[in-house]
Every structure is written in structure tokens, then in C-alpha cells.
């Protein structure tokens, strides 16, 4: 059954959206949260486990100090207050991928709370309040075999991999984000994007959404316009790309609006996001009173970070993202619009690395935001996941600067890079893309273009130099684009003026 949707504009005319974002970040510690098991991604199933993360009787957990350190640094970077004393809690529920039958998490005593992050969308700043950032452990992973959907329904049997069980997670929960109007989906995307940038800068996680080391739940509710009351919210789970964050939020705005406009009520429930069809479907009904029988974890001592330690960690924070953006804009001489586009495309780090690799700022911007952003759009891929890296772009630009490539040939090198044909130099060689600098061949092509277009040649002889464009085009076509257009122009003018 498909949902009825109201058009986005109609929805926004009637309702104010309120967003809530819950982001789970897997920390990149070498070992798990409460035991010494390794955390590397992609190992053979169940090879990175021990009695503690398998929840065997009598095993005792010990807190990973590096994970606490990362949690505090994340809290500080999000302008949070850091608890002077907090405990872990048991969140009791049964699920096959959680062998202890409880998850060790934090409940009413999070390590970090009451912060904010300023998020920029189209040059406007939206302050997103941070309710809390707390520590917990990841669950294992179930694999449902047989059936078509990969879901448990219709599967023949299920397998469980506990390698992920016990990997340290930080859950970052926003306060309700209000007042974003029709920008709500973009603010959601920008928040997750900037959070990812911040976490990357802190070096605490590899933040790969596609591998699940950063996972986002998008909560959304609508209130009648101007009423200021919060509506019933839905929670769309595990939205695994920045683009999907925006799409899922937009879809839920339109779906809620159709339900409310039809005089029905929104159910408080979890929803599943379907990347392929771009819709959410109903998951399980949820109430705020879900009772996990939380209680303080008796096997772990409280975490009581000294203020000296917190101050030391504060001193390790990198430059805050907005200051970094302002500095880079100054250094690169970008206009506000150029900077906004760069940030909006998620290309800030890519452009920075390309410039660091020796490319002039405007050239780096041109390739990433012109050529590569367009292709990312066409293939609905994140720009960073295209398979083209900053050093490739820098090499293409240096081939242009050396006169080996012109812009048109450079685009063909990008075709090759996207098709995985090797390095820029390998692609130039394999595809035979270098500019023909053989003057003899160029002169021959110029002569035959003049001979084939006598009327154009006459115009140029009469002083209409602008007409040379047609002859340059003919020569470039003849040379399959592999000529330096400026040199061709010189040769034409030498002959006709
Ligand atoms: Zn273990």
C-alpha cells in the first residue's frame, strides 16, 4: 500500500515541521567498549568475540578509557556540558543479536548534555540544540537468509555475527529543531553532514554512512502553522546517506501533511526508509512509555572525569567547523556563494585536499563543483563516493597546466577515472588523450579547415576576426579535441590576417 502525499508546498502552507535527529557514531577505538576484542570491520563472522561481549555468565566488563575520551571530546565539540559523574545503565530487551539480553547504555546520566551546533543552509545559520550525547555499545548483526527482502519475514533461517557486539557507540540526540520551515529537510541533511565533518576532524570515527559507522534516525512531526505545539512524531530508522536524510524528511513532511489534512491522526511509530523507491513504510508502533526497565549497571564503576582531564581534552579540539570555513574562504579567495556551494555539495574537504596537493583554488573548485558534482548528481552518488580522489584531480589539473590536456580532454580523463581505468596518466596513455603538439599535423588541419570554409576565411580576411571561432571548431573536430585551441587560433590568424 502506498501512502497518500500532499505536495510539499501545500504541506508547508498548512504546517510547521519539527525535526529531531538521532545519530549513532561507531568510534574507531582499537578495542570494544567493555572488553579487549578488536573492532576491525569486515573480519570473518564471530572471530572478534570473547565471554564479555558474548554476555557469558561470570564475565566482567571494563570501560574503555579511549572511548570515554572520544565521548568527552565529541561533547565538547558540540558545546555540551560534561557530566562530573555519570553511570552506565542496563537497557533490558531481548533480541537475538544482543546476547546479554540487555544493552549497556546510558539513561538519565549521559556523559554530555545541553549543547548546540550551528548549521549553515543557503547562507543562513540554524542553531540545532543538542539534548545529549551518551555512550553505549553496538549490537551484533543478524543476517536473514532466503526470502527476497533480506528481512526476517519469508526467510528460511537467520545467522548472527557478534563481531559488532560491544563496539563503542556514541548516540547524539538533538532537541526538537523548530522554525526551519520549508528548509527542514535541508537543515537535517546539513546537520548530519556538518556533524560528520566535525567527527572526522576530531578523528574519533571513520564516519562511513554506507558501512554503518554513522547511522541516522530522522524524527519528524508537524504542527498546525503558527500553533507552536508539537505534533505526533515518527522515527525513520537507519537512513544511510546524506541525500537520504533530506529525502526521508521531505517524504515524511508530505505524508504527515496528507494524514493530518485528511482529518486522521499520525501514529507514533518507527518507519523504514527505502532508498530504491524513496518511501518510508511502517515499522513498529512505539510509545514514549516503552519500558526497558533501565537500572544502573552494577558491574561498572561510575565515570567521573576530573575537570583537569576535561580541560586537557578541550585543548585537543580541532578548529571549530565555522572558523575553519571562514579561514579557508579567506585563504582561497572564494566568494560567499562559491563557499556556500562548496560546503553544500559536501566538497569542502575534497577541495581542500586538492588545493593542498598543489592545485590553484579556483581550478580545484571548478572540477569538483562543475564536473564532478554534476556527475555525482546524475548517478545519485555522494561526491566523496565517486571514486575520484583529490590527488587525481590535482594531477589532471597539472596535466592541463603543462599543456598535455585541455579542459575537454580532461573531462574524458574524468570519464576514465569514474570507470576505474587507473590513474590520470594511465588513462591519458590508454585512451590516447594527449594534446597533439605536432605543428605539422596542426598546420595541415588548419589549412584543410580554411580550404573547406572559404566564405569564413574571407570574412576573417575582411577583418571579422570573431569568425575564427567557426574555423577553430572545425580544426578541433578534425583533431578529435586534441589540440590547443589558442595555438589553433594563432595559426589561423597568421594565415588570414
Ligand atoms: Zn569481547
Amino acid at each position: 500500500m502506498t501512502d497518500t502525499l500532499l505536495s510539499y508546498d501545500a504541506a508547508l502552507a498548512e504546517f510547521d515541521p519539527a525535526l529531531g535527529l538521532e545519530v549513532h557514531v561507531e568510534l574507531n577505538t582499537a578495542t570494544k567498549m567493555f572488553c579487549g576484542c578488536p573492532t576491525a570491520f569486515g573480519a570473518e563472522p564471530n572471530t572478534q568475540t570473547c565471554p564479555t561481549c558474548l554476555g557469558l555468565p561470570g564475565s566482567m566488563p571494563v570501560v574503555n578509557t579511549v572511548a570515554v575520551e572520544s565521548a568527552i571530546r565529541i561533547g565538547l565539540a558540540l558545546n555540551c556540558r560534561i557530566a562530573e559523574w555519570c553511570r552506565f545503565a542496563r537497557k533490558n530487551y531481548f533480541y537475538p543479536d544482543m546476547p546479554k539480553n540487555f544493552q549497556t547504555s546510558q539513561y538519565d546520566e549521559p556523559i554530555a548534555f545541553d549543547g548546540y551546533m550551528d548549521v549553515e543552509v543557503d547562507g543562513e545559520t540554524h542553531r540545532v540544540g543538542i539534548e545529549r550525547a551518551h555512550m553505549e555499545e553496538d549490537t551484533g548483526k543478524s543476517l536473514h537468509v532466503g526470502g527476497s527482502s533480506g528481512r526476517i519475514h519469508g526467510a528460511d533461517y537467520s545467522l548472527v555475527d557478534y563481531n559488532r557486539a560491544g563496539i563503542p557507540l556514541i548516540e547524539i540526540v538533538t532537541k526538537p529543531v523548530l522554525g526551519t520551515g520549508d528548509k527542514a529537510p535541508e537543515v537535517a541533511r546539513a546537520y548530519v553532514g556538518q556533524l560528520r565533518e566535525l567527527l572526522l576532524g576530531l578523528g574519533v570515527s571513520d564516519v562511513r554512512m554506507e558501512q554503518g559507522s554513522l547511522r541516522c534516525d530522522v524524527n519528524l512531526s508537524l504542527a498546525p502553522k503558527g500553533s507552536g505545539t508539537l505534533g505526533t512524531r515518527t522515527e525513520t530508522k537507519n537512513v544511510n546517506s546524506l541525500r537520504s536524510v533530506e529525502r526521508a524528511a521531505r517524504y515524511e513532511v508530505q505524508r504527515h501533511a496528507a494524514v493530518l489534512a485528511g482529518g486522521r491522526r499520525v501514529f507514533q511509530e518507527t518507519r523504514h526508509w527505502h532508498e530504491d523507491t524513496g518511501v518510508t513504510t511502517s515499522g513498529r508502533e512505539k510509545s514514549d512509555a516503552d519500558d526497558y526497565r533501565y537500572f544502573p549497571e552494577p558491574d561498572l564503576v561510575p565515570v567521573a572525569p576530573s575537570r583537569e582531564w576535561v580541560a586537557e581534552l578541550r585543548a585537543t579540539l580541532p578548529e571549530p567547523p565555522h572558523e575553519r570555513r571562514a579561514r579557508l574562504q579567506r585563504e582561497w579567495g572564494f566568494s560567499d556563494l562559491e563557499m556556500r556551494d562548496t560546503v553544500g555539495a559536501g566538497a569542502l574537504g575534497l577541495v581542500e585536499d586538492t588545493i593542498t596537493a598543489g592545485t590553484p583554488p579556483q581550478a580545484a573548485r571548478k572540477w569538483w563543483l562543475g564536473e564532478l558534482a554534476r556527475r555525482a548528481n546524475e548517478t545519485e552518488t555522494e561526491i566523496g563516493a565517486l571514486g575520484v580522489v583529490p590527488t587525481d584531480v590535482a594531477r589532471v589539473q597539472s596535466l592541463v597546466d603543462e599543456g598535455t590536456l585541455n579542459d575537454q580532454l580532461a573531462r574524458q580523463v574524468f570519464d576514465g577515472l569514474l570507470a576505474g581505468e587507473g590513474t590520470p596518466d594511465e588513462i591519458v596513455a590508454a585512451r590516447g588523450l594527449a594534446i597533439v603538439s605536432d605543428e605539422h599535423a596542426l598546420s595541415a588541419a588548419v589549412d584543410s579547415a580554411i580550404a573547406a570554409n572559404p566564405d569564413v576565411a574571407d570574412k576573417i580576411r575582411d577583418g571579422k576576426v570573431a569568425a575564427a571561432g567557426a574555423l577553430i571548431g572545425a580544426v578541433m573536430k578534425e583533431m578529435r579535441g586534441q589540440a590547443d585551441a589558442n595555438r589553433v587560433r594563432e595559426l589561423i590568424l597568421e594565415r588570414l590576417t
Side-chain angles (χ1 to χ4, degrees), residues 5-17 182 222-225 250 253-261:
L5 302 183
L6 207 61
S7 83
Y8 190 69
D9 290 343
L12 266 295
E14 299 278 327
F15 301 102
D16 293 323
D182 64 341
L222 294 184
K225 205 164 184 62
R250 185 176 291 266
V253 166
Q254 294 182 254
R255 192 183 66 81
H256 280 224
V259 170
L260 296 170

Side-chain angles (χ1 to χ4, degrees), residues 35 37 50 53:
C35 64
C37 289
C50 73
C53 56

Side-chain angles (χ1 to χ4, degrees), residues 139-176:
T139 60
K141 230 181 204 168
S142 299
L143 180 70
H144 306 297
V145 183
S148 56
S149 62
R151 296 254 160 103
I152 195 162
H153 305 284
D156 296 326
Y157 59 92
S158 299
L159 298 168
V160 177
D161 175 9
Y162 291 116
N163 284 352
R164 200 179 68 180
I167 288 192
L169 286 183
I170 305 296
E171 180 174 343
I172 301 163
V173 182
T174 67
K175 297 175 182 172

Side-chain angles (χ1 to χ4, degrees), residues 367 395-414 424-425 427-429 432-436 481-484:
W367 292 124
R395 180 60 188 150
V396 169
Q397 181 58 38
S398 62
L399 289 168
V400 171
D401 293 339
E402 286 163 15
T404 306
L405 296 175
N406 55 28
D407 282 8
Q408 194 186 342
L409 295 170
R411 280 186 199 100
Q412 295 182 50
V413 176
F414 285 117
D425 290 275
I427 294 163
V428 168
L433 292 178
I435 282 177
V436 175
Q482 289 171 260
D484 173 356

